[in-house]
Amino acid sequence: QVQLVESGGGLVQPGGSLRLSCAASGSIFSINASGWYRQAPGKQRELVAGITSVGSTNYAESVKGRFTISRDNAKNTVYLQMNSLKPEDTAVYYCNAARRPGWVAINPWGQGTQVTVSS
């Protein structure tokens, strides 16, 4: 069973940046689409950024122009560069391989990484 380990979260002031990483125990990201999702307290988990197996990207409207998803197949790792962070970006962030359409997560979720944007 593939394991996913997210890292890189933390506390950052509004306008700041963070880079999240997600390492997989197998080569799932090179053959599948992959996505970063987030879940804020009291809200459903949502897709914020996705990347297909051929490198096409997809972003939620709320993060377009601020977040960038990328992938290193050799390291089985997906990244999320987050710039110009806002308090509404506060959430637990998760990654997963995804099946399209719908960006449906394929594997069991990891523990996620907490991102808190606050002054």
Side-chain angles (χ1 to χ4, degrees):
Q1 185 169 337
V2 174
Q3 291 186 324
L4 301 166
V5 179
E6 299 92 347
S7 62
L11 173 63
V12 63
Q13 292 187 341
S17 298
L18 284 173
R19 188 192 194 208
L20 307 184
S21 299
C22 172
S25 59
S27 303
I28 60 170
F29 295 140
S30 61
I31 58 174
N32 293 291
S34 51
W36 279 97
Y37 304 75
R38 68 186 179 190
Q39 187 167 21
K43 294 187 177 181
Q44 289 190 331
R45 196 170 331 209
E46 62 173 351
L47 176 75
V48 294
I51 185 167
T52 69
S53 57
V54 296
S56 298
T57 56
N58 178 58
Y59 296 95
E61 285 295 326
S62 60
V63 306
K64 277 184 180 178
R66 300 188 298 121
F67 290 11
T68 302
I69 187 171
S70 60
R71 183 182 63 225
D72 186 333
N73 291 338
K75 296 182 178 180
N76 299 323
T77 301
V78 177
Y79 304 96
L80 186 67
Q81 178 66 43
M82 305 188 297
N83 298 328
S84 302
L85 282 161
K86 303 176 180 180
E88 51 263 43
D89 295 318
T90 295
V92 180
Y93 284 71
Y94 304 86
C95 71
N96 214 317
R99 186 173 293 116
R100 298 187 303 148
W103 294 92
V104 179
I106 293 174
N107 301 291
W109 296 100
Q111 83 288 350
T113 186
Q114 175 71 48
V115 172
T116 302
V117 184
S118 175
S119 55

